[in-house]
C-alpha cells in the first residue's frame, strides 16, 4: 500500500531589509533634488566601481523616472534629477513621506539649480565621508535640504540643510543636529550675516494662539521650535566661492553680527555657532580644528563648538 507523500512547505519569503540600488537612487534624488553620478556613487556605493551606479541610472532614465543635464565645462559630467513620473513614484516611499520632491521641468531649470544644489550636497558628502571613517552615524537621509520654519505673520526662515548626526563612542551615543548654511559668495556679506538674525528670531519665536486655538497653547508651551527639536540645532556656515581673504572677511562679519545684535548675542550664549571653509572640511574633515566659533575662541571641531 502506497502512502501519499505531502509536499514540503515552501519557506516563507522574507523581504530584504536593504533597499535595491535603483530605489536608493530614486530616494536620494527625491531627498537631495539633484546629484552628479560621482556624488551618488560617493553617497551610496563608495567602495564599488562607478559603473555600478551609472548602469541603473541609465535604466531609470529609459523608464522616464529620472533625467539629467550636462554640466558646463565639466567634460560631460551629468547632474541627475527626478522627472514628474519619478516624483510620483517616490512620493509614497517611506523615507520620503511628508517630504515634497519637486520635479525639474526642463534642462534650463536644471542648469539654474545645479550650482547651489550640488554645492550643498558636496558639503553633505564631507560629513558622510568623515562619519564613515570615524564610525559615526550619518547617512544620505540624515541631511534634508531646504527645511522651512515659520516666524509668524507669513514670514519664514529656510535653511540650506538640516543635518542629523550621531556620535558613537564606546557605549555612548550622542545625537547632534545642525542648521547648515552654504554660502557660495553670491550674496553680500551683510545679507549673509543677517541670516543669524533670522535664526535668532526662530530661536525666540513663540506663536500667539487666539480663539479656538488658545486651548492648545498650554499643551505646547515655549518656543515653536520645541515641536521639532529637543534642543535648538547648532548653526553652521560653510563658505566657498572666493579666495581665502574674502572668505575670512565674511567669517569676521558673521562674528561681528554676534557681538552687535542683541538677540543674536543672547541666542549665542546657548546655541553653538560656527563657520568654516568648504575646502578645509573636504581636505581635513569636519571634525578637524577648522571651525571658527562665531562667539570667539580658537578653531575647533564642529562637535565641540
Amino acid at each position: 500500500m502506497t502512502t501519499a507523500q505531502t509536499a514540503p512547505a515552501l519557506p516563507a519569503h522574507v523581504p530584504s531589509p536593504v533597499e535595491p540600488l535603483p530605489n536608493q537612487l530614486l530616494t536620494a534624488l527625491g531627498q537631495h533634488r539633484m546629484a552628479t553620478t560621482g556624488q551618488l556613487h560617493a553617497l551610496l556605493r563608495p567602495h564599488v566601481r562607478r559603473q555600478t551606479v551609472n548602469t541603473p541610472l541609465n535604466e531609470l532614465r529609459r523608464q522616464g523616472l529620472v533625467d539629467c543635464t550636462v554640466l558646463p565645462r565639466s567634460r560631460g559630467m551629468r547632474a541627475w534629477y527626478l522627472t514628474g513620473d519619478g516624483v510620483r513614484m517616490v512620493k509614497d516611499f517611506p523615507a520620503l513621506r511628508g517630504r515634497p520632491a519637486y520635479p525639474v521641468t526642463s534642462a534650463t531649470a536644471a542648469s539654474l539649480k545645479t550650482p547651489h544644489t550640488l554645492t550643498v550636497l558636496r558639503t553633505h558628502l564631507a560629513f558622510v565621508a568623515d562619519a564613515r571613517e570615524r564610525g559615526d552615524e550619518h547617512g544620505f537621509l540624515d541631511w534634508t535640504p531646504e527645511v522651512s520654519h515659520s516666524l509668524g505673520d507669513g514670514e519664514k526662515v529656510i535653511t540650506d540643510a538640516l543635518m542629523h548626526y550621531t556620535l558613537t563612542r564606546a557605549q555612548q551615543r550622542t545625537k547632534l543636529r545642525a542648521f547648515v548654511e552654504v554660502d557660495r559668495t553670491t550674496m553680500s556679506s551683510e545679507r549673509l550675516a543677517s541670516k543669524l538674525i533670522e535664526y535668532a528670531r526662530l530661536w525666540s519665536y513663540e506663536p500667539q494662539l487666539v480663539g479656538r486655538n488658545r486651548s492648545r497653547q498650554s499643551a505646547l508651551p515655549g518656543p515653536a521650535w520645541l515641536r521639532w527639536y529637543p534642543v535648538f540645532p547648532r548653526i553652521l556656515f560653510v563658505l566657498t566661492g572666493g579666495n581665502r581673504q574674502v572668505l575670512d572677511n565674511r567669517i569676521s562679519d558673521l562674528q561681528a553680527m554676534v557681538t552687535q545684535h542683541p538677540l543674536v548675542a543672547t541666542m549665542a550664549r546657548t546655541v553653538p555657532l560656527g563657520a568654516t571653509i568648504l575646502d578645509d572640511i573636504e581636505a581635513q574633515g569636519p571634525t578637524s580644528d577648522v571651525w571658527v566659533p562665531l562667539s570667539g575662541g580658537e578653531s575647533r571641531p564642529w562637535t565641540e563648538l
Side-chain angles (χ1 to χ4, degrees):
M1 179 176 179
T2 303
T3 303
Q5 298 291 321
T6 303
L10 294 175
H13 173 67
V14 179
S16 169
V18 180
E19 288 284 342
L21 180 55
N23 285 31
Q24 289 186 342
L25 290 167
L26 291 171
T27 302
L29 292 175
Q31 180 83 350
H32 297 284
R33 313 302 196 199
M34 185 177 293
T36 67
T37 308
Q39 287 177 326
L40 290 168
H41 176 247
L43 201 61
L44 301 175
R45 295 292 189 276
H47 304 302
V48 301
R49 294 182 304 113
R50 183 176 296 194
Q51 191 63 31
T52 303
V53 171
N54 203 41
T55 298
L57 278 172
N58 285 316
E59 178 59 30
L60 290 170
R61 189 184 187 191
R62 283 190 290 271
Q63 296 171 11
L65 299 176
V66 305
D67 206 345
C68 64
T69 184
V70 177
L71 302 181
R73 300 180 297 278
S74 68
R75 298 184 178 180
M77 183 183 297
R78 295 176 175 182
W80 298 88
Y81 53 88
L82 295 177
T83 63
D85 286 343
V87 167
R88 287 185 285 275
M89 169 75 76
V90 306
K91 68 181 180 65
D92 292 325
F93 281 15
L96 296 177
R97 284 175 187 159
R99 170 77 177 144
Y102 302 106
V104 178
T105 55
S106 68
T108 300
S111 66
L112 295 174
K113 293 175 179 290
T114 48
H116 186 70
T117 303
L118 297 183
T119 304
V120 172
L121 181 51
R122 179 182 158 194
T123 304
H124 172 43
L125 286 170
F127 285 93
V128 169
D130 198 46
R132 284 178 180 144
E133 184 174 336
R134 292 164 50 88
D136 294 334
E137 295 178 14
H138 179 66
F140 75 98
L141 293 173
D142 294 321
W143 180 277
T144 308
E146 300 172 27
V147 174
S148 173
H149 293 88
S150 173
L151 297 175
D153 298 324
E155 295 184 84
K156 58 187 176 181
V157 57
I158 301 175
T159 185
D160 284 333
L162 169 65
M163 177 172 67
H164 295 266
Y165 193 104
T166 303
L167 294 171
T168 57
R169 294 293 173 273
Q171 302 301 315
Q172 184 176 0
R173 289 163 49 84
T174 304
K175 293 185 178 297
L176 302 176
R177 302 160 195 83
F179 293 130
V180 183
E181 288 292 327
V182 179
D183 172 54
R184 297 183 297 116
T185 323
T186 55
M187 65 174 72
S188 70
S189 187
E190 175 69 19
R191 185 179 168 195
L192 173 66
S194 69
K195 289 289 290 188
L196 282 167
I197 302 176
E198 296 180 22
Y199 282 113
R201 291 176 60 199
L202 175 62
W203 172 77
S204 62
Y205 170 59
E206 296 189 28
Q208 300 301 310
L209 302 179
V210 297
R212 285 183 297 177
N213 288 329
R214 182 174 295 173
S215 62
R216 297 175 53 199
Q217 196 161 7
S218 61
L220 295 170
W225 57 263
L226 283 170
R227 300 179 183 181
W228 301 285
Y229 313 108
V231 296
F232 196 82
R234 60 194 63 208
I235 302 171
L236 307 177
F237 288 83
V238 180
L239 283 62
T240 187
N243 61 40
R244 178 72 56 165
Q245 185 62 55
V246 167
L247 300 182
D248 284 344
N249 287 342
R250 293 169 83 83
I251 293 175
S252 295
D253 289 344
L254 288 166
Q255 290 178 306
M257 181 63 76
V258 173
T259 61
Q260 294 169 5
H261 195 283
L263 186 58
V264 176
T266 303
M267 175 183 70
R269 295 188 191 116
T270 57
V271 177
L273 312 174
T276 191
I277 295 172
L278 178 55
D279 286 345
D280 290 345
I281 64 171
E282 288 182 322
Q284 303 176 50
T287 47
S288 299
D289 296 336
V290 294
W291 294 86
V292 178
L294 299 185
S295 298
E298 297 296 320
S299 297
R300 63 198 66 177
W302 74 275
T303 54
E304 298 176 19
L305 289 169

